[in-house]
Amino acid sequence: MKIGCYRTKSGTTLRTGVTFDDVEVIDLTSVGIHSPADALEQPDLVGRIQRLAARSFMRLPISEALMGAPVNEQEIWAAGVTYLRSKAARMEESDFSATAYDRVYDAPRPEIFFKSLGWKAVGPGGPVGIRHDARWSVPEPELVLVFNRRGEPVGYTIGNDMSSRDIEGENLLYLPQAKTYSASCAIGPWIRVGVDEAEARSWGIRMEIHRDGSRVFAGATQVSQIKRSFSELRGWLHRCQEFPFGSMLLTGTGIVPPNEFTLQAGDRVVIEIDGIGRLENPVAVV
Ligand code: DO4
Ligand code: MG
């Protein structure tokens, strides 16, 4: 079961919807669910949404649903250096902070950083940003853990942790500027619910980057390559911190384009995660 935010071609407001088959979207707004976050608060989540969907008369083919980011008031955080590939990339790009990445990969406490307010996240089809003052920009395709306001793990979605590698490599203290700026986080299109960690760990992640009609990068990894368990990451995120509106946690990247690659305005980033779907965004300078 997947929950998302959509608009009809003639409609202006975002509605909440569910799909059970990737063919049809069933409206949940008309049966009292006003946001994906609202859906994720329901007790007996899967059963309750199934019962509400059975009462809904508003349905449309999934191809006619214009999807938005399924996040609004939640905070979006991100874990880093959770894959060996990311540790190697960070060490290559850093002048004098390489050992910090080496150490955090094996340390009990993971790297976790604030990424975006939920309402700032870009949805499917919206432009993701590269900074005009960065020389080396990349997308980071990441599985996202979704938590409700009680901190319970309730689903998974796709995230793009857009990053400026020259800025983060110059000095670790510049990490917030490398990671958090306009349109630096894309989320969506669907939140997959009712799936346990073992199943999510069997999923593959793929990314392609297209430029002027050609594919200029393709890479793939497996969720199983994430070093830390989801419950470990959840525990660290919620340690000494509450999220009254719920939260999302990007789980790190295991796909890194070659060091000579940088994104350009007009590129198109396509990320696919098994079990969830496909998040596609054009790139623009901000
Ligand atoms: O410290 C750098 C950030 C690492 C990151 O975002 C990742 O591994 O995905
Ligand atoms: Mg990342």
Side-chain angles (χ1 to χ4, degrees):
M1 182 169 104
K2 299 179 191 174
I3 294 169
C5 239
Y6 75 99
R7 210 164 41 75
T8 58
K9 281 177 184 151
S10 56
T12 48
T13 53
L14 273 178
R15 308 182 68 86
T16 306
V18 61
T19 183
F20 296 99
D21 54 8
D22 285 329
V23 174
E24 179 182 60
V25 177
I26 304 173
D27 185 70
L28 293 176
T29 301
S30 50
V31 288
I33 299 288
H34 296 293
S35 66
D38 190 8
L40 300 173
E41 294 306 324
Q42 302 297 315
D44 175 29
L45 174 59
V46 173
R48 171 95 176 130
I49 297 297
Q50 279 170 336
R51 288 191 293 279
L52 285 171
R55 281 175 27 204
S56 174
F57 290 109
M58 200 174 154
R59 290 153 192 259
L60 73 162
I62 204 164
S63 55
E64 290 178 18
L66 304 173
M67 303 302 296
V71 56
N72 186 9
E73 291 181 300
Q74 299 101 313
E75 291 177 34
I76 303 172
W77 288 68
V81 199
T82 50
Y83 290 80
L84 269 179
R85 180 69 189 97
S86 179
K87 178 178 97 156
R90 274 353 106 212
M91 292 178 74
E92 281 162 25
E93 79 202 4
S94 307
D95 291 339
F96 54 86
S97 34
T99 56
Y101 293 111
D102 202 18
R103 288 207 309 274
V104 80
Y105 183 77
D106 289 313
R109 184 190 291 269
E111 177 193 15
I112 295 183
F113 56 91
F114 178 75
K115 179 66 185 172
S116 179
L117 296 170
W119 58 267
K120 286 185 162 183
V122 174
V128 286
I130 49 177
R131 294 181 65 114
H132 69 80
D133 62 352
R135 284 176 286 100
W136 189 11
S137 302
V138 291
E140 294 189 353
E142 304 189 13
L143 178 72
V144 182
L145 309 182
V146 180
F147 303 103
N148 64 16
R149 59 179 71 136
R150 290 182 298 282
E152 296 163 342
V154 282
Y156 306 89
T157 187
I158 304 175
N160 182 349
D161 172 22
M162 292 288 288
S163 302
S164 313
R165 292 189 67 186
D166 56 326
I167 296 175
E168 80 179 359
E170 189 178 335
N171 188 319
L172 261 189
L173 296 179
Y174 295 157
L175 190 76
Q177 296 173 73
K179 292 290 192 179
T180 299
Y181 54 87
S182 295
S184 65
C185 182
I187 295 284
W190 294 102
I191 298 173
R192 176 78 191 267
V193 300
V195 167
D196 64 15
E197 175 163 348
E199 185 177 342
R201 282 199 172 260
S202 72
W203 292 342
I205 303 180
R206 294 168 293 284
M207 177 170 73
E208 291 188 357
I209 302 171
H210 297 263
R211 180 173 297 160
D212 301 329
S214 306
R215 193 176 73 178
V216 289
F217 174 78
T221 190
Q222 295 288 326
V223 173
S224 60
Q225 299 301 306
I226 299 176
K227 180 178 190 265
R228 297 174 192 264
S229 71
F230 298 165
S231 54
E232 183 185 354
L233 291 171
R234 170 192 172 210
W236 283 102
L237 178 67
H238 291 86
R239 187 182 275 219
C240 308
Q241 175 158 233
E242 286 176 5
F243 297 100
F245 303 107
S247 62
M248 292 191 175
L249 180 69
L250 283 75
T251 54
T253 187
I255 304 177
V256 183
N259 288 351
E260 55 281 6
F261 179 88
T262 185
L263 284 170
Q264 293 176 10
D267 287 355
R268 205 159 42 81
V269 180
V270 183
I271 301 171
E272 284 181 345
I273 302 187
D274 296 328
I276 306 177
R278 174 188 174 105
L279 173 64
E280 191 170 331
N281 300 90
V283 174
V285 177
V286 296

